[in-house]
Amino acid sequence: MENKGLWAFGTRQVVYGAIGAALYGAFSLLTNLVPLPAAGNITFRPAVAVLIFFGIAYGPWVGLLAGFIGNTLGDMLAGWGFYWNWSLGNALMGMIPGLAMLMITNYRNKIDIAKAIGWGAAGVAVGMMVASLTEMMVGGIDLNTALVGYFTPAFIGNLVVIVILLPILMVAFAAVNARRGR
Amino acid sequence: MLVSWKYRPRNTFIQRLDPRSRLIFLACVILSLTIPNIWDIRLIFPLFLLTLTLYLLAQIEWKDVRRAWLFIFFLIFFIVGLNGMLSGRGGPTSVMNDTSAPLFTLPVYFPGTTWGFSLEITLVRIVFAITQMTRMLSMAILALPLPYTMDPNIYGVAFRKMGVSDKVSFTMDLAFRFLPTLARDLSITIDAQRARGYEMDSLKGGIVARLRRLAPLIVPVTMQSTVTGEEVIDAMDLRAFGTAPRTWLKDLHFARRDYLFIALGVSIFVAFCVLKWGFGIGEFWIPPALVAGLN
């Protein structure tokens, strides 16, 4: 039941949404011990590259579900609790790169990889901005702290992660697909 | 192959509760602390005692949760607690902008050099660190027993019966089932790469080198999971998943104890909101006796 539409929501999206969430949760759990300098309770998450990759490879629904459920799982199991605004931010961070799913066809091509990084950066910017600004309401912080203390380190940290790890994941995925004949 | 959590049926009050009432109660406790943004230890500590009691009622064997607890203790005491005490990170504005007189100063300098800085430890930050740790423990000890005491077969139906759509419920169900499997795959991959001389904890190189060093862990696990995903999709498509409204094998029914448990959770949430927004109680609080003792 192959469904390639951007907003299709079938078996493929259900399964990869779940796998993306579990991977994001498991990798986040591994690195939830590494806080970012100058940030509030924001941790360094190489897992963000996996989230962006799932959005790019399987579409916006998968990115959205993987971001929301994965962040919730990772935070809950690590004892951070549930912060709806950060889960929403992570959902957007996965969903926005998913909008480029149909534009990216060759995972080895440098232009396609650059496009993926660009859409990933847009996802990180929007997702972290929404989470940081809503933290003013949830955490009672001021605008300066939201932008300088939360958004900036989260954006830069996640951007570095996707610039380095996303191309590696894309090239590996191309190899796996070629071997599978898909 | 799917690996399940270390779930075991036990005849305890916690496991007799409907999973929905436990999830709703958990949501109520977390929202009670985060929506009105409670930082008052006088409200947080009784809540901690309540959640600790519920944890003990679950009667989970120590050997099952030992590793999880070591991880949580390390995170809460050494990362969050020390961070809170040294910098006030993650706290409300009153703690982040703390300008009170330091109780003592910790010099942090490279040995034999004048490079470094001094950390000023204040009473505000010490009390904040204790508050922050108690706050996080209150949520962690409520979430931790879930995988050990909730039958993995009822995750999906629990979310469905809470009004979530079939497909999203199934996504959540699968995510809960995949998490321990993927965590196990990650652990096996770490061991396998270490056997090949991989140094995960090596501090050599900058941030780029360290990120690149994560690739031998992240790539195999992620790629294997994409292959597994295709097999799961084929299996589900063969069973015509998503072609018609779904039925669930197990059914759930609320008992009187579930209504009481949910009522308790909702009451805590309402009480915290009323205290914070109605009476202004819930902001970061320092025992006056401690402040007086310093003056």
Side-chain angles (χ1 to χ4, degrees):
Chain A
M1 248 180 266
E2 188 79 1
N3 197 339
K4 281 274 187 186
L6 190 63
W7 291 102
F9 190 52
T11 317
R12 176 166 292 273
Q13 287 70 29
V14 167
V15 171
Y16 282 116
I19 289 178
L23 275 175
Y24 191 47
F27 287 137
S28 300
L29 206 54
L30 184 76
T31 55
N32 256 357
L33 297 174
V34 190
L36 283 170
N41 281 338
I42 303 174
T43 52
F44 185 60
R45 279 191 176 175
V48 165
V50 176
L51 174 63
I52 304 284
F53 166 73
F54 267 75
I56 296 277
Y58 302 111
W61 282 121
V62 170
L64 185 130
L65 288 169
F68 191 88
I69 302 172
N71 182 69
T72 306
L73 276 177
D75 277 0
M76 254 175 52
L77 292 172
W80 290 102
F82 171 60
Y83 288 87
W84 63 268
N85 56 324
W86 287 98
S87 290
L88 176 68
N90 276 272
L92 290 171
M93 194 159 70
M95 190 193 86
I96 289 169
L99 299 174
M101 179 183 75
L102 299 179
M103 292 179 217
I104 295 165
T105 48
N106 184 350
Y107 286 78
R108 281 182 200 280
N109 184 294
K110 283 180 186 166
I111 295 170
D112 277 2
I113 291 175
K115 270 189 216 165
I117 292 173
W119 279 89
V124 170
V126 174
M128 293 301 94
M129 183 61 86
V130 167
S132 301
L133 292 180
T134 46
E135 190 64 27
M136 290 166 64
M137 190 173 64
V138 176
I141 58 170
D142 52 41
L143 182 65
N144 188 45
T145 310
L147 294 178
V148 180
Y150 283 74
F151 171 74
T152 307
F155 175 72
I156 294 172
N158 290 339
L159 189 64
V160 171
V161 164
I162 59 172
V163 166
I164 294 167
L165 290 179
L166 187 60
I168 300 174
L169 283 168
M170 289 178 72
V171 172
F173 187 59
V176 169
N177 274 350
R179 208 164 45 209
R180 274 208 316 248
R182 296 206 183 213
Chain B
M1 190 184 84
L2 288 175
V3 176
S4 66
W5 298 99
K6 282 188 177 171
Y7 165 75
R8 211 171 289 151
R10 301 170 184 86
N11 186 22
T12 61
F13 167 73
I14 293 296
Q15 282 186 238
R16 281 194 293 273
L17 286 168
D18 187 294
R20 291 169 294 174
S21 58
R22 293 180 62 192
L23 291 170
I24 292 168
F25 185 83
L26 172 67
C28 286
V29 167
I30 291 171
L31 294 176
S32 308
L33 291 169
T34 54
I35 295 286
N37 204 23
I38 299 293
W39 286 103
D40 190 330
I41 191 77
R42 292 171 299 177
L43 297 180
I44 295 171
F45 191 68
L47 188 63
F48 167 72
L49 290 180
L50 173 67
T51 57
L52 179 65
T53 307
L54 293 171
Y55 176 81
L56 294 174
L57 283 174
Q59 295 179 20
I60 308 169
E61 294 77 4
W62 173 245
K63 62 178 167 53
D64 285 348
V65 284
R66 194 185 53 185
R67 282 188 70 171
W69 269 119
L70 286 176
F71 177 82
I72 289 173
F73 277 136
F74 182 78
L75 172 79
I76 291 181
F77 289 104
F78 289 99
I79 304 294
V80 175
L82 276 180
N83 255 320
M85 196 167 73
L86 298 176
S87 64
R89 285 162 50 130
T93 312
S94 59
V95 177
M96 299 274 277
N97 300 335
D98 169 37
T99 52
S100 58
L103 290 178
F104 55 91
T105 305
L106 273 180
V108 184
Y109 288 97
F110 285 101
T113 70
T114 52
W115 293 352
F117 51 92
S118 295
L119 286 168
E120 293 182 336
I121 310 298
T122 63
L123 176 68
V124 170
R125 287 182 186 164
I126 292 174
V127 175
F128 166 69
I130 295 167
T131 308
Q132 169 79 307
M133 288 189 290
T134 314
R135 194 176 191 257
M136 284 187 75
L137 270 175
S138 305
M139 295 187 263
I141 57 176
L142 209 51
L144 181 74
L146 284 179
Y148 299 91
T149 56
M150 197 184 282
D151 185 351
N153 291 320
I154 54 175
Y155 287 138
V157 67
F159 286 114
R160 180 69 189 99
K161 285 260 188 168
M162 285 163 74
V164 180
S165 78
D166 271 335
K167 284 179 177 169
V168 175
S169 297
F170 206 78
T171 307
M172 289 185 165
D173 187 298
L174 274 179
F176 272 94
R177 285 163 185 259
F178 276 128
L179 187 66
T181 312
L182 296 174
R184 184 206 59 176
D185 288 352
L186 184 61
S187 170
I188 291 172
T189 307
I190 292 172
D191 290 344
Q193 300 289 32
R194 276 188 172 148
R196 293 174 175 89
Y198 171 78
E199 291 178 353
M200 186 185 172
D201 309 319
S202 169
L203 295 173
K204 286 181 209 155
I207 190 101
V208 175
R210 284 203 222 172
L211 274 173
R212 280 184 176 278
R213 215 175 290 137
L214 282 174
L217 300 182
I218 290 180
V219 172
V221 178
T222 306
M223 292 307 122
Q224 181 55 44
S225 69
T226 63
V227 176
T228 307
E230 293 296 339
E231 290 163 8
V232 175
I233 290 167
D234 288 345
M236 285 168 66
D237 280 345
L238 280 171
R239 289 162 179 80
F241 176 82
T243 52
R246 205 185 148 72
T247 55
W248 299 79
L249 197 59
K250 295 211 176 188
D251 203 5
L252 300 172
H253 299 284
F254 278 131
R256 213 165 77 99
R257 59 177 169 262
D258 295 303
Y259 290 115
L260 291 172
F261 198 58
I262 291 170
L264 176 64
V266 173
S267 307
I268 292 169
F269 176 65
V270 172
F272 276 31
C273 289
V274 169
L275 284 171
K276 179 72 184 282
W277 294 319
F279 298 93
I281 301 170
E283 296 290 349
F284 177 65
W285 180 81
I286 303 180
L290 280 180
V291 181
L294 283 177
N295 295 329

